[in-house]
Amino acid sequence: MPQKDGKRGQGAAPGDEVGQKFHCDNCQANVTDGVRISCNECAEFDLCTTCFSRGIELGSHKNDHSYRVVTRHRFPIFTEDWSADEELLLIDGLRQFGMGNWKDAAENVGTKTKEECEQHYLDVFVGSDSWPLPAMDREFENKVARPTSDKRSRSATPGKVKVLSSQPSNHEIVGYMPGRLEFEFEHENEADQVVKDMVITEDDTAEELDLKQIVLRIYNGKLDRRLYRKSFIFDRDLLEYRKNQAAEKRRPKDERDLLNKVKVFARMQTREDFDQFSMGMLNEHALRQRIKQLQEWRRNGITTLEDGAQYEVERSQRLSRRATTQRDSVHLLERLQKIVASRTIRDSASEAAAQKQNSRKPASIVDIESADGIELLSGPEKDLCSRLQLFPRPYLAAKEVLLAEYARVGCLKRRQACELVKIDSTKARWIYDFFVETGWIKPPVREDGDAAAVSIDGPMPVYLAALDTREQPVVKSEF
């Protein structure tokens, strides 16, 4: 049966930083420097002696398959300090990475530096009398190759494993393959599908040849556009994404926004012209900001640079204090709204219980002249509370919430008012319309510039008709 080599992977053997490494496929034990059992029927399958003695069967591997015992080839064949395994790894590395790529070949060997690999190849292979073959008749007394006198081979190679393949996942730009200078998905990636099966033969008619030439010209045009875009990316160093991101983060936000806006002109200019154009735009932006600052200083009566610097320091301090005050005000307003809402809910529950007890009695105007808080109401407000059968305290709480919200936002809708006061929605709508009629609240403005009309379903209360005939009282709100 044909024999197959053991499985090879990138890693470090004991005492080495890099090199080829063999593991047991069952227990994952390192068998690089020991004896391993390689299956002749299963590709890339190795077992350690312990697992082999137990008769391990894994996947398609059975314990009755033919096998061979593999050990490390430590004996020298060409020179005393190079073992047979190292010779094989050197040749394999040159075949894989190319002749003259001594750095990658040395990493493939794992125990030699690139200088030692180059010198060994020149002495043994190039300088051989039987070139291109080395001298095959040499004999050595030592059964094991003598290691290098110094330990340079163990410290010269870097500790990290070199990426040996150019794949889309091995670059900071996803999809870019640096070894091939290509992308996983190119511009117009489906262009090759049109011509991949095209064949020009002697039997083609003139029309068929013309059609195929047209298709090829279209395909060449797509390739030219693809090449132009790749050249643009390479010329502008756009593949250095992290470096470019770090440079942009060091700029102020206004400069970043300006550069993002002028990037559309990059395709119409060379790299030098675009860099000069961008720098000019940044200089113009800085000059405009400086002129604006000097004009602000002049409006405030500042005539010297020292006074201007002091003004900027004090201005930043004022802005900081103002932001702190606004945050505190928002927190206080939220607490006040929670307190008022809880009080309104409590009063509304008491009012609902009282209305439930008197539900069998005919509806009539509630006498609020002796109710608590009546002295705080104006004439129209008293009429409103009487018609709505609403006591002064719940009304005042609702009034406080609505006016506070209006002062904070600047406008208030009827739906928002109904959600804020937490009372009967019909009463909330009448209260909102009353505030709009009295001018305490302005309704939101429509897109055509006119204020939203105030109208709800149901008969108009007496107080709305009375507002047109009686004099409006002057009500001083605590807001």
Side-chain angles (χ1 to χ4, degrees), residues 1-8 22 35-42 44-47 52 65-71 73:
M1 301 184 71
Q3 295 183 353
K4 300 181 181 180
D5 294 337
K7 181 179 59 178
R8 296 181 178 180
F22 298 90
V35 178
R36 69 181 187 274
I37 310 301
S38 180
C39 181
N40 289 333
E41 301 182 20
C42 299
E44 307 291 339
F45 191 86
D46 298 314
L47 289 176
F52 176 77
H65 285 181
S66 60
Y67 64 90
R68 59 191 176 94
V69 180
V70 181
T71 59
H73 301 154

Side-chain angles (χ1 to χ4, degrees), residues 65-111:
H65 285 181
S66 60
Y67 64 90
R68 59 191 176 94
V69 180
V70 181
T71 59
R72 291 293 297 267
H73 301 154
R74 298 181 179 275
F75 53 88
I77 54 178
F78 301 136
T79 60
E80 294 182 352
D81 56 346
W82 278 73
S83 65
D85 282 337
E86 291 173 339
E87 298 284 357
L88 292 174
L89 291 175
L90 175 62
I91 300 301
D92 181 68
L94 292 177
R95 292 178 58 188
Q96 182 178 358
F97 305 113
M99 183 65 65
N101 193 352
W102 304 112
K103 180 180 178 181
D104 291 340
E107 291 183 0
N108 190 61
V109 174
T111 57

Side-chain angles (χ1 to χ4, degrees), residues 441-461:
I441 293 179
K442 292 183 180 180
V445 180
R446 295 178 179 176
E447 295 182 356
D448 54 1
D450 297 332
V454 179
S455 61
I456 60 175
D457 298 335
M460 178 181 293

